Amino acid sequence: MNNIQGKVVIITGASSGIGEATAYKLAEQGAKLVLGARRENKLKTIADNIKSKGGEAVYRITDVVKAEDNIALVELAKAAFGKLDAIFLNAGLMPNAPLSALETHNWNAMVDVNIKGVLNGIAAVLPTFTAQKSGHIISTSSVAGLKVYPGAAVYCGTKWAVKAIMEALRMESAQAGTNIRTATIYPAAVQSELVAGITDKATSGAYRQLYDAYEIPAERVANVVAFALSQPEDTNVSEFTLGPLTQPW
């Protein structure tokens, strides 16, 4: 049985990389997609591609830092498809640099998107999931949410925060009997636009070299999202770490 067929799933950060790959993967398995990101042209192209193959998808320009944008995605899901089953909190930034570079604007941006964006998404869906006593919240952390790397202090901090928030959410949902499932994904070098956002020249060059040597397609993470969503309703698989076979992380 395909447990994904007919599920309504919100994806943030849906315009490229892991979000885009996951949209296509879930659409192939019969999910109805609600796509959110800041670039409307990318969202429209992805939604059109899904619909051209007989799938169902809608989209909305979304800045996850704005609480109201997250709420609007939930409202769009209900208006378009009559329900909501899952959300994949995937929006993220990685403008890494040594702390001594004092890129404080990038520190704030990472905290806003990587932490507050996740919290805003959780806040947007929890009332619905709690009321219906079902739902699935999946988030993208990083291997940087499991280990700390020089030159990535703030990014690591934000991704460790995601780990903590999601684990507490799982425990609280179990205690409350709300049947809300959770999954946190920790990817290593996976194809995305993250490296393109690094403005520190030395850091950018090092990461580009790393990713060019090791990165695997974003679809590999999409496979994990599909696996989590396809589990029986009584089963929660809460954490996934994945990366290139040849990358020593």
Side-chain angles (χ1 to χ4, degrees):
M1 179 180 177
N2 177 6
N3 287 332
I4 295 175
Q5 180 75 40
K7 281 188 174 178
V8 177
V9 183
I10 292 172
I11 300 175
T12 65
S15 61
S16 65
I18 291 169
E20 178 181 7
T22 302
Y24 288 133
K25 173 65 66 174
L26 298 183
E28 288 172 6
Q29 298 190 24
K32 301 175 182 181
L33 282 308
V34 181
L35 309 176
R38 290 178 295 180
R39 294 174 293 183
E40 183 174 16
N41 60 325
K42 295 262 189 180
L43 291 173
K44 184 179 186 304
T45 297
I46 296 165
D48 287 347
N49 288 340
I50 289 171
K51 288 185 280 191
S52 71
K53 296 178 181 177
E56 296 184 68
V58 294
Y59 66 88
R60 185 186 190 281
I61 298 172
T62 303
D63 182 349
V64 296
V65 176
K66 299 177 180 176
E68 61 270 23
D69 280 15
N70 294 267
I71 293 169
L73 277 180
V74 174
E75 293 172 346
L76 175 59
K78 292 178 178 179
F81 301 121
K83 64 170 185 168
L84 177 61
D85 299 295
I87 187 167
F88 180 29
L89 302 169
N90 175 66
L93 298 175
M94 191 184 71
N96 286 343
L99 288 170
S100 58
L102 296 178
E103 291 191 354
T104 55
H105 61 293
N106 281 333
W107 301 356
N108 288 321
M110 282 187 275
V111 168
D112 284 345
V113 175
N114 299 355
I115 301 178
K116 293 179 183 177
V118 168
L119 289 171
N120 285 338
I122 291 171
V125 299
L126 269 186
T128 296
F129 287 175
T130 300
Q132 67 193 26
K133 289 203 169 183
S134 68
H136 207 152
I137 300 174
I138 302 173
S139 69
T140 303
S141 179
S142 167
V143 290
L146 301 171
K147 303 178 180 182
V148 175
Y149 302 92
V154 178
Y155 182 71
C156 290
T158 64
K159 292 304 187 177
W160 281 67
V162 171
K163 172 181 171 63
I165 291 163
M166 291 295 292
E167 179 63 359
L169 176 62
R170 181 193 67 78
M171 296 168 75
E172 290 178 9
S173 299
Q175 288 176 336
T178 49
N179 305 318
I180 298 169
R181 297 192 288 165
T182 65
T184 309
I185 304 174
Y186 306 95
V190 171
Q191 178 273 320
S192 75
E193 295 182 350
L194 287 177
V195 175
I198 300 175
T199 54
D200 182 77
K201 288 185 178 180
T203 305
S204 176
Y207 271 85
R208 188 67 273 165
Q209 188 175 23
L210 173 76
Y211 274 67
D212 286 347
Y214 295 116
E215 74 177 7
I216 53 177
E219 185 185 8
R220 304 297 186 261
V221 181
N223 291 336
V224 172
V225 177
F227 177 81
L229 285 169
S230 67
Q231 296 308 298
E233 295 298 324
D234 63 355
T235 303
N236 191 82
V237 188
S238 60
E239 294 187 307
F240 301 88
T241 305
L242 75 152
L245 177 64
T246 56
Q247 184 190 357
W249 301 356

